[in-house]
Amino acid sequence: MSEIAKFFAEVARNVEGLKADPDLLPFSRMWLRAVGAHGYSYNFTWWGRPIIQLPQDILAMQELILRIQPDVIVETGVAHGGSLVFSASMLELLGGDRTAIGIDIDIRSHNRAALEEHPMRRRMHLVEGSSIDPAVVTEVHRLVAGKRALVFLDSNHTHEHVLAELRAYAPLVDEGSYVVVFDTLIEDLPESFSVGRPWGPGNNPKTAVLAYLRECDRFVVNDDIDAKLQLSVAPSGYLRCVKNASASGPAA
């Protein structure tokens, strides 16, 4: 066995140990609740742009991108653009004709200007509009047609919206690739974390994921990623595609 094979075998054993430890998940949730009160996920940037993600999830996305080698990454939710810049920079490392598509209902002028001036601009394609607007969905499907896709969902976090996004964009993903649904953690946090928001416990990305998995057998939760990360905004949100779609195009 090669040294790198030994390394990954050890990682697999570590992950199984993490899964079997009943004390870790409660500690992880306590830590996330504590740091969440201080805006922890807002403290980081990628190549100069605020990314608004936990470092653990950023590293997990990097591993997925390298493994999947997508031609295109579709992201809903742009905000300051850090996540889109991250995806674009990973695609730059892979080389070839690869693009990160960022969709947002409101791409603010200062954020658009910063992204248009960014060194990774040639790898980014912005689409302004609701991610579940049929015209936007059709346009994204046109841009992705015939390409290997990876999808990140991180916009409006209500159950209804995320479920509609899953129905719209999961068909872009083929076997072995992923849809990653962020902020499923909302379901596991106190309601006080969602005050003033249209989402909260019982109405959030995790409830949408569970509903989608009941109606679609193409995806499974990769709980190895959950166990490996421990600290994540996307528990049960790393969805691995295990079956190709029988038909292409936007979901009805």
Side-chain angles (χ1 to χ4, degrees):
M1 181 182 291
S2 69
E3 290 303 313
I4 193 65
K6 290 178 183 177
F7 171 82
F8 285 117
E10 183 177 355
V11 169
R13 290 192 295 272
N14 292 342
V15 168
E16 290 305 312
L18 289 164
K19 285 182 182 179
D21 190 328
D23 296 325
L24 286 177
L25 185 59
F27 278 129
S28 297
R29 292 292 182 269
M30 288 173 60
W31 188 88
L32 287 167
R33 287 196 295 270
V35 299
H38 300 280
Y40 180 78
S41 63
Y42 287 80
N43 295 337
F44 307 99
T45 62
W46 187 272
W47 211 331
R49 301 303 300 164
I51 190 168
I52 317 179
Q53 295 288 2
L54 293 184
Q56 290 84 351
D57 287 309
I58 296 169
L59 195 58
M61 289 189 286
Q62 174 270 146
E63 291 185 353
L64 286 181
I65 293 168
L66 178 61
R67 185 187 316 157
I68 295 163
Q69 308 242 334
D71 301 310
V72 60
I73 297 174
V74 175
E75 301 192 14
T76 65
V78 172
H80 294 279
S83 182
L84 191 64
V85 170
F86 165 81
S87 293
S89 64
M90 293 298 100
L91 296 179
E92 177 74 7
L93 289 173
L94 291 178
D97 183 18
R98 305 175 196 268
T99 306
I101 300 172
I103 309 162
D104 202 298
I105 196 168
D106 179 19
I107 303 173
R108 296 179 181 178
S109 58
H110 61 283
N111 290 328
R112 182 184 287 275
L115 293 176
E116 288 177 347
E117 295 169 0
H118 197 276
M120 286 294 103
R121 179 64 187 98
R122 70 186 186 89
R123 294 282 182 186
M124 295 184 283
H125 183 93
L126 295 174
V127 177
E128 188 162 17
S130 170
S131 57
I132 60 173
D133 183 309
V136 169
V137 175
T138 298
E139 171 64 6
V140 173
H141 275 255
R142 184 189 68 79
L143 292 169
V144 176
K147 299 177 181 178
R148 183 158 173 78
L150 171 63
V151 172
F152 298 145
L153 302 181
D154 193 12
S155 60
N156 183 327
H157 300 317
T158 64
H159 174 101
E160 181 181 16
H161 188 93
V162 176
L163 183 56
E165 285 188 330
L166 283 163
R167 290 168 175 165
Y169 299 109
L172 295 173
V173 172
D174 59 14
E175 185 176 349
S177 191
Y178 279 72
V179 174
V180 182
V181 183
F182 289 97
D183 289 288
T184 51
L185 182 66
I186 293 168
E187 178 69 5
D188 305 315
L189 294 176
E191 194 168 349
S192 59
F193 276 71
S194 303
V195 170
R197 303 284 193 173
W199 52 78
N203 171 25
N204 56 70
K206 190 171 188 177
T207 61
V209 164
L210 295 175
Y212 185 70
L213 292 178
R214 287 193 293 270
E215 69 181 45
C216 177
D217 65 354
R218 297 184 58 236
F219 293 87
V220 297
V221 172
N222 187 331
D223 56 5
D224 282 359
I225 295 179
D226 291 345
K228 182 165 72 169
L229 297 184
Q230 291 295 308
L231 304 174
S232 171
V233 300
S236 300
Y238 286 87
L239 308 182
R240 179 168 57 90
C241 183
V242 295
K243 184 188 302 184
N244 287 327
S246 57
S248 61

